[in-house]
Short mmCIF file of all heavy atoms in Angstrom, two decimals:
data_model
loop_
_atom_site.label_atom_id
_atom_site.label_comp_id
_atom_site.label_asym_id
_atom_site.label_seq_id
_atom_site.Cartn_x
_atom_site.Cartn_y
_atom_site.Cartn_z
N ALA I 20 -389.06 -101.14 198.39
CA ALA I 20 -387.92 -100.94 199.26
C ALA I 20 -388.28 -101.16 200.72
O ALA I 20 -387.54 -101.79 201.55
CB ALA I 20 -387.35 -99.57 199.10
N ALA I 21 -389.51 -100.74 201.14
CA ALA I 21 -389.97 -100.94 202.48
C ALA I 21 -390.19 -102.43 202.79
O ALA I 21 -389.83 -102.87 203.86
CB ALA I 21 -391.19 -100.17 202.75
N THR I 22 -390.70 -103.16 201.80
CA THR I 22 -390.89 -104.61 201.99
C THR I 22 -389.55 -105.27 202.09
O THR I 22 -389.35 -106.16 202.93
CB THR I 22 -391.62 -105.16 200.76
OG1 THR I 22 -392.89 -104.47 200.58
CG2 THR I 22 -391.91 -106.66 200.92
N PHE I 23 -388.62 -104.86 201.29
CA PHE I 23 -387.24 -105.50 201.46
C PHE I 23 -386.64 -105.16 202.76
O PHE I 23 -386.04 -105.96 203.44
CB PHE I 23 -386.32 -104.86 200.33
CG PHE I 23 -384.91 -105.36 200.34
CD1 PHE I 23 -384.58 -106.54 199.63
CD2 PHE I 23 -383.89 -104.78 201.08
CE1 PHE I 23 -383.32 -107.04 199.59
CE2 PHE I 23 -382.65 -105.27 201.11
CZ PHE I 23 -382.34 -106.43 200.36
N ALA I 24 -386.80 -103.88 203.26
CA ALA I 24 -386.27 -103.47 204.59
C ALA I 24 -386.93 -104.31 205.73
O ALA I 24 -386.26 -104.70 206.64
CB ALA I 24 -386.49 -102.01 204.78
N LEU I 25 -388.26 -104.55 205.59
CA LEU I 25 -388.93 -105.31 206.57
C LEU I 25 -388.39 -106.66 206.67
O LEU I 25 -388.32 -107.24 207.79
CB LEU I 25 -390.45 -105.31 206.22
CG LEU I 25 -391.38 -106.06 207.20
CD1 LEU I 25 -391.35 -105.33 208.56
CD2 LEU I 25 -392.80 -106.14 206.65
N LEU I 26 -388.00 -107.26 205.55
CA LEU I 26 -387.58 -108.62 205.56
C LEU I 26 -386.09 -108.81 205.95
O LEU I 26 -385.67 -109.75 206.59
CB LEU I 26 -387.77 -109.28 204.15
CG LEU I 26 -389.22 -109.47 203.71
CD1 LEU I 26 -389.26 -109.91 202.30
CD2 LEU I 26 -389.94 -110.43 204.65
N PHE I 27 -385.25 -107.80 205.59
CA PHE I 27 -383.85 -107.98 205.70
C PHE I 27 -383.17 -107.00 206.70
O PHE I 27 -382.16 -107.28 207.35
CB PHE I 27 -383.13 -107.82 204.32
CG PHE I 27 -383.50 -108.96 203.42
CD1 PHE I 27 -384.49 -108.74 202.45
CD2 PHE I 27 -382.87 -110.16 203.47
CE1 PHE I 27 -384.86 -109.76 201.56
CE2 PHE I 27 -383.22 -111.17 202.61
CZ PHE I 27 -384.21 -110.99 201.67
N ALA I 28 -383.66 -105.73 206.82
CA ALA I 28 -383.03 -104.72 207.66
C ALA I 28 -383.64 -104.79 209.03
O ALA I 28 -382.88 -104.70 210.07
CB ALA I 28 -383.16 -103.36 207.06
N GLU I 29 -384.94 -104.86 209.16
CA GLU I 29 -385.59 -104.80 210.48
C GLU I 29 -385.15 -105.91 211.41
O GLU I 29 -385.01 -105.66 212.61
CB GLU I 29 -387.13 -104.86 210.30
CG GLU I 29 -387.71 -103.61 209.68
CD GLU I 29 -387.47 -102.37 210.52
OE1 GLU I 29 -387.38 -102.48 211.74
OE2 GLU I 29 -387.38 -101.23 209.94
N PRO I 30 -384.97 -107.14 210.99
CA PRO I 30 -384.46 -108.17 211.97
C PRO I 30 -383.08 -107.78 212.54
O PRO I 30 -382.79 -108.10 213.70
CB PRO I 30 -384.35 -109.41 211.06
CG PRO I 30 -385.31 -109.23 210.00
CD PRO I 30 -385.28 -107.75 209.68
N ARG I 31 -382.23 -107.11 211.78
CA ARG I 31 -380.94 -106.61 212.28
C ARG I 31 -381.15 -105.49 213.31
O ARG I 31 -380.39 -105.39 214.24
CB ARG I 31 -379.94 -106.12 211.15
CG ARG I 31 -379.27 -107.27 210.44
CD ARG I 31 -380.12 -108.14 209.60
NE ARG I 31 -379.44 -109.35 209.08
CZ ARG I 31 -380.02 -110.22 208.32
NH1 ARG I 31 -381.29 -110.08 207.94
NH2 ARG I 31 -379.45 -111.27 207.88
N ILE I 32 -382.11 -104.68 213.02
CA ILE I 32 -382.44 -103.58 213.94
C ILE I 32 -382.91 -104.20 215.32
O ILE I 32 -382.51 -103.75 216.38
CB ILE I 32 -383.43 -102.60 213.38
CG1 ILE I 32 -382.82 -101.92 212.17
CG2 ILE I 32 -383.85 -101.58 214.44
CD1 ILE I 32 -383.81 -100.97 211.49
N ASP I 33 -383.76 -105.17 215.19
CA ASP I 33 -384.24 -105.90 216.47
C ASP I 33 -383.08 -106.48 217.23
O ASP I 33 -383.05 -106.38 218.45
CB ASP I 33 -385.21 -106.95 216.00
CG ASP I 33 -386.59 -106.36 215.62
OD1 ASP I 33 -386.87 -105.21 215.94
OD2 ASP I 33 -387.29 -107.05 214.84
N ALA I 34 -382.16 -107.08 216.49
CA ALA I 34 -380.99 -107.72 217.21
C ALA I 34 -380.16 -106.59 217.87
O ALA I 34 -379.65 -106.80 219.02
CB ALA I 34 -380.18 -108.45 216.22
N ALA I 35 -379.97 -105.45 217.19
CA ALA I 35 -379.21 -104.36 217.79
C ALA I 35 -379.92 -103.78 219.00
O ALA I 35 -379.28 -103.44 220.04
CB ALA I 35 -378.93 -103.29 216.75
N ILE I 36 -381.26 -103.65 218.93
CA ILE I 36 -382.01 -103.13 220.11
C ILE I 36 -381.91 -104.14 221.25
O ILE I 36 -381.84 -103.66 222.42
CB ILE I 36 -383.45 -102.89 219.67
CG1 ILE I 36 -383.54 -101.71 218.74
CG2 ILE I 36 -384.34 -102.68 220.91
CD1 ILE I 36 -384.95 -101.46 218.15
N ALA I 37 -381.90 -105.37 220.99
CA ALA I 37 -381.73 -106.39 222.04
C ALA I 37 -380.38 -106.20 222.77
O ALA I 37 -380.27 -106.26 223.99
CB ALA I 37 -381.83 -107.76 221.50
N LEU I 38 -379.34 -105.92 221.98
CA LEU I 38 -378.01 -105.64 222.54
C LEU I 38 -378.08 -104.38 223.40
O LEU I 38 -377.52 -104.32 224.50
CB LEU I 38 -376.99 -105.48 221.46
CG LEU I 38 -376.54 -106.80 220.82
CD1 LEU I 38 -375.57 -106.47 219.64
CD2 LEU I 38 -375.81 -107.70 221.78
#
Side-chain angles (χ1 to χ4, degrees):
T22 303
F23 182 91
L25 181 63
L26 295 174
F27 295 98
E29 290 297 331
R31 277 71 189 181
I32 295 177
D33 287 337
I36 290 175
L38 286 174

